[in-house]
Amino acid sequence: MEGLLFWFCGGFLLLGGLMMVLQRSAVVSAVWLVFAFICAAGIFAVLGGVFLAVMQVLVYAGAIMVLFLFVIMMLQGPVLEGERKLMPVGMWPLIAVPPVAVLLLITGYLRSDATVAFAAAPPAGFGTVEAVAGLLLGRYLLAFELISIVLLVALVGALALGRGERNQPWK
Amino acid sequence: MQSEILLRWIVLVPLLGAALNGLLNRRLSKQISGLLACGAVGVSFVMSVLVFLRLTGMEPESRLVQDTLGTWMHLGAFRVDLTFAMDQLGAVMALVVTGVGFLIHIYSLGYMAHDDGFQRYFAYLNLFIFAMMTLVLGGNLIMLFVGWEGVGLCSYLLIGFWFNEDANASAGKKAFIVNRIGDFGFLIGMFLMGTTLLPHLGAGEGVFNFQVLHAHAGVLAPVATAVCLLLFVGATGKSAQIPLYIWLPDAMAGPTPVSALIHAATMVTAGVYMIARLNFLFVLSPTALAVVAAVGAVTAIFAATIALAQNDIKKVLAYSTVSQLGYMMLACGVGAFSVGIFHVMTHAFFKALLFLGSGSVIHAMSNEQDMRVMGGLRTRLPITYATFMAATLAIAGVFPFAGFFSKDEILWKAWSGGNTLLWAIGFLAAGLTAFYMMRLVVLTFFGENRASSEVRKHIHESPATMTVPLIVLAVLSLVGGWIGWPHFMGGGSWFEQWLEPVFASGAQIGAHGAHTGVATVDVLVQNAQMNHAAAEALHETGVEWTLAVVSVLWAVLGLVLGWFVYYKRATIADGFKKAGGGFVYRLLLNKYYVDEAYDAAFIRPGYRLSRSVLWKGVDAGLIDGVLVNGSALAVYLFGSVLRLFQNGMIRFYAWTFTIGVAVFVLYLSFSS
Amino acid sequence: MEITLTHYLVLAGLVFITGMVGFVVRRNALVMMMCIELMLCAVNIVFAAFARLHGDGGGHVFVLMNFAVAASEAAIGLAILVEIYRRRRTVNVDDLKTLME
């Protein structure tokens, strides 16, 4: 059952990513990315992170991607003019170098039989809201508070940028 | 107040004056600036007197006041303290420097009154007093050296005081560079001394502390000759002895009070002071002492002959200074350190007076220094004339003026030490001194005035600020020598007695060295004994009387001859010029062509080396070609490669970024 | 076939490469930002996989932190894009070459 879910979700995750890259329209790309994120939520669920899976759908596929779509709607017509042309063929090998290198590494790694198996079952309560909340407000309290400050700063920064230059208080 | 603490203020108050004058400069009015400067030196003088009085109240053997501000450097066994110390020798020097310095400050008020750089001048002058006091009151050789360099700096600044004239700036540079040559020797000597001494020191002993040096003089005995000769190289630079005297005549480019203070009365005697201070070292090396004596004697006669033919009033006095410094060196060289210092003191009085008098003359003559256009100033400048005459009699060595006592004593020590040749040279130079001084006086003050009518109209006696120091110094030139009134004339040689503890121990070291087989100076042992019993014995022989009378007669003869040749029978003077086909005269007029010889021997080859190797080769070729342009070329080439990456394409940046990540990942995976 | 940690790592690697390549080849700044999100997602998978391996929920906490960082980055990045668009009337990065000067 776990294996089946992994292949299913993993396969569609990759497909979603690829389609996002290959589509010329930003809106279509965004929709494929939502699809990929939902598949990623499935992967989290397979790994026992139920709370993560929920958050992935709510925050990522929901909130963040909606933000993207809003901006796309504001800024962009259907397809960006420059996106119509492909990269020149001469550039392809150059662009292929890093991914090929990493792919080579992965295949080499797979051949080496250095696979690591998981424990038969995760500990009781693993990945539940209660367990994550305990860690978040216990062991990682400081990080939790700091990340809230990061969010706050981002909020203020986004506001300041979004106001437009004419409305800046220092102008 | 504790008089120890006064010592630091003796040194620091002039520094304070210099700082105020130097930093505030034009913001101070001339009155306040002059008041500050004179006040600083005056306070310094008063404090010197206070400490001196305290010294007189002490036991003769333990006369020493020390003031330690703290440790300056402490590196392993090497330790230098910021110590000021005043013993009998330091007291004499301090009183002379601050006393004469104070008078010259007062004089400068009048002399520099119309100068634009008034405040700057007094800042330098105060700085000089600070440096000189550091030199004479420094408790160790390092402090002495700091002062030594400090006075050199002030000398340079003041020689080139009117720096907008090229010649003055060059003279300043010449003084500085020539002194650097001497200082080079001085430093090497100090290093040698330090490295020899360091392994033998106890805990907490400052290596260059004079007392420590004194206590360990025995350790230094093997290197004493080298050390002393090297130190003497420094002294020849600072005290203008052959071969490094050439800067002093040029140094007359500075304001005349500066010539009086720095280049006659105080700074140039630093070499003599240094030798006297390290007497315990010099007595260990008969060779070094012989060299000192010989150089001193030769300088004395050499400079005196040059002075015969000079036409610039200050040049005559400059060569006269060189000659008198030779006397001091001669005294030190024959082991009569106290007499050398005695001559330093009396010379400070009468030579400062001569320079200040010449300054007064120059002032009256609208800055004319050539004696050939002077003359007849006797009636126009009565005070200057009278005081100048007193100084002339003093330098000529006429009884009872100050110069007589010190000069006669030097000649007597040379004679009694068995150095008849040195005595003869000194004696001859004494006659020449009297002669050229009379020539100077006659050309300046007697006969008809040869100046243009324009200048003649402006001739006036100097203001009181200038004449009062002249009068004070004239009195000192008369009575200043009396404190050294010798035994044989019924006096007490008080000056010598005062300094005796400083030098007696040196003599003891010398005598001790003789017993233990270390080479030493017989003369010195003799001198040490002579101070007591032998002096009495010699006194009875009447030799001393005879010599004294002869030297006075000799001086008077020189004066009379000078008077006769240049006033009564001026044709004889012209005859001199033509004697030997005029060759001798030209030789003297051109100072034996020493400057030209140095030019040909050192300066031109130096220029050639600089031009061909250092400039064309090293500077243009190596530094400009390879280093400067080479590095620029390397940066250019590197940049032209890097520029390809700076193309503004974000995606290109991202791509190079991913390449970097790929390389990093591959490295990590294959390296483990 | 048993699913091991290795499977998840390979999957994450492939997703990451997809995002990386997308970032290089796409000209639309909005899509480039989406690619960044995809790469972050790959990282999240690795975190979750290791959390499962060690049975420690710390990995989950880090994923949540990543969500916050991604949200901040998206907010700021998009705000900057909006501002750029206001000035330049484009989100094509090939037209935004001022970094060269």
Side-chain angles (χ1 to χ4, degrees), chain A residues 31-122:
Chain A
V31 174
W32 274 111
L33 187 61
V34 172
F35 177 73
F37 279 157
I38 291 170
C39 295
I43 294 287
F44 288 144
V46 176
L47 280 167
V50 184
F51 180 57
L52 279 192
V54 175
M55 292 312 285
Q56 173 82 4
V57 174
L58 283 183
V59 175
Y60 247 127
I64 296 179
M65 288 322 293
V66 168
L67 182 62
F68 265 96
L69 284 168
F70 262 120
V71 174
I72 291 167
M73 185 185 78
M74 277 164 62
L75 304 188
Q76 194 61 57
V79 178
L80 198 64
E81 192 55 37
E83 295 273 57
R84 292 199 186 282
K85 59 176 191 251
L86 284 172
M87 298 285 285
V89 181
M91 298 283 277
W92 289 17
L94 280 179
I95 292 166
V97 167
V100 166
V102 177
L103 281 174
L104 278 175
L105 184 69
I106 289 170
T107 46
Y109 186 64
L110 283 178
R111 283 213 193 135
S112 67
D113 297 334
T115 53
V116 180
F118 290 125

Side-chain angles (χ1 to χ4, degrees), chain B residues 8 207 311 347 359 608 612 652:
Chain B
R8 72 181 65 167
V207 57
N311 290 319
H347 177 255
R608 270 201 294 279
S612 58
F652 177 78

